[in-house]
Amino acid sequence: MRFRPCIDIHNGCVKQIVGGSLADKGNHAQDNFVSEQDGSYYGELYKSRGLTGGHIIILNPAGSEFYEKDLQQAYSALSAFEGGLQIGGGINDKNAAGFLDRGASHVIVTSFVFRNGEIDEHNLTLMKNAVGKNRLVLDLSCRKRGEDYYIVTDRWQKFTDTKLCPETIERLRDSCDEFLIHAVDVEGKAKGIEDGVATLLGDIEGMPATYAGGISSFDDLEKLKTLGKGRVDFTIGSALDIFGGNMRFEEVCGFDK
């Protein structure tokens, strides 16, 4: 169980948002924190602490008026910590290699692999051919509908018909190097973790899985450690002091060491 830091980029800025508030229309999101620092600052910070395996997420779609500014932020972070960060947001088989060339260790994909509510095996094969299984992370971010969690796409705005469940995990695990899962309903709210998602991830053996969403205290980390059976890596955003929160970054870096 280790800390995976994040750099979320929206409207040309490094920021923390409430995940469920994100909307492409008007480039809207409810901001928790907008940083005065750029992507390179956070890349250098994470490099100085040896925090490999963190992720950059671009939150504007390609074609947005802010997308090119988002890219510049992302490139500056990748340059500052070459080989140390993953990147997601609008990744497909045509642009993925370019991000690896810019210094990303892995690319993170959701929407390109989930089409019409289901896993698109053709597009999944295209991604594996483009970058290789060992440099591909599948983002299975989810929201609750009824009693079950469903994978969501298009910057967490669209439900698929694919449940986040052991069967889906088993189907996909041989196609990627890692899983990344944002519990979107609690993302950015710093009010506690989504227990059901943490428990599900704790049953994944033999490959890394990273949980994101709602962590607000070291009690939450202890709970995640218990529910996740010590196997689940974690991301903290809004609750960190470097993003305006109350949890000390330095203490989080040392958690469980």
Side-chain angles (χ1 to χ4, degrees):
M1 182 178 182
R2 65 188 180 105
F3 173 43
R4 306 282 200 106
C6 63
I7 303 173
D8 293 345
I9 303 170
H10 183 248
N11 292 358
C13 300
V14 176
K15 62 167 65 173
Q16 289 292 313
I17 69 168
V18 176
S21 73
L22 190 63
D24 290 346
K25 185 177 181 180
N27 298 302
H28 172 77
Q30 181 181 334
D31 296 338
N32 282 328
F33 177 83
V34 181
S35 180
E36 296 180 358
Q37 307 292 343
D38 64 5
S40 66
Y41 169 86
Y42 292 99
E44 290 167 2
L45 176 65
Y46 301 157
K47 182 179 180 179
S48 73
R49 302 301 187 276
L51 296 171
T52 57
H55 57 270
I56 302 167
I57 301 294
I58 297 173
L59 294 171
N60 293 103
S64 161
E65 62 184 296
F66 295 102
Y67 185 70
E68 290 302 319
K69 292 182 179 179
D70 291 352
L71 284 180
Q72 293 308 310
Q73 290 279 13
Y75 292 156
S76 71
L78 292 174
S79 179
F81 194 5
E82 188 170 351
L85 293 166
Q86 306 169 358
I87 189 165
I91 305 294
N92 56 51
D93 65 315
K94 305 301 183 189
N95 64 15
F99 288 107
L100 299 182
D101 291 343
R102 288 275 188 167
S105 67
H106 296 68
V107 291
I108 306 167
V109 179
T110 307
S111 300
F112 187 69
V113 168
F114 291 89
R115 293 285 181 178
N116 300 317
E118 299 179 345
I119 300 168
D120 186 322
E121 296 288 352
H122 175 69
N123 281 6
L124 181 57
T125 298
L126 289 177
M127 284 306 310
K128 287 188 289 185
N129 290 341
V131 301
K133 168 186 178 294
N134 293 336
R135 302 190 77 176
L136 179 62
V137 177
L138 291 180
D139 184 340
L140 307 183
S141 294
C142 61
R143 305 184 79 164
K144 201 167 190 179
R145 188 168 63 188
E147 296 301 314
D148 297 307
Y149 296 99
Y150 287 83
I151 294 169
V152 289
T153 65
D154 297 274
R155 293 157 300 282
W156 308 326
Q157 296 168 77
K158 294 182 180 179
F159 275 92
T160 69
D161 297 322
T162 305
K163 292 181 183 179
L164 181 65
C165 61
E167 291 77 15
T168 298
I169 295 292
E170 285 304 311
R171 181 176 175 183
L172 293 172
R173 63 180 297 142
D174 291 333
S175 295
C176 63
D177 197 43
E178 301 183 9
F179 293 120
L180 170 65
I181 296 92
H182 293 81
V184 178
D185 291 326
V186 297
E187 173 72 19
K189 295 182 179 180
K191 292 183 178 179
I193 68 172
E194 189 79 69
D195 293 4
V197 176
T199 300
L200 178 64
L201 300 189
D203 290 332
I204 299 174
E205 297 186 59
M207 69 182 298
T210 301
Y211 171 90
I215 296 172
S216 62
S217 67
F218 286 93
D219 287 341
D220 287 335
L221 286 181
E222 292 292 349
K223 186 177 186 181
L224 178 63
K225 183 177 179 180
T226 299
L227 295 177
K229 302 176 183 177
R231 298 172 179 155
V232 181
D233 294 341
F234 63 94
T235 289
I236 306 175
S238 300
L240 283 180
D241 58 357
I242 62 172
F243 295 125
N246 295 317
M247 295 180 72
R248 291 189 62 245
F249 173 74
E250 297 296 341
E251 290 186 34
V252 171
C253 290
F255 181 77
D256 208 35
K257 290 184 179 178

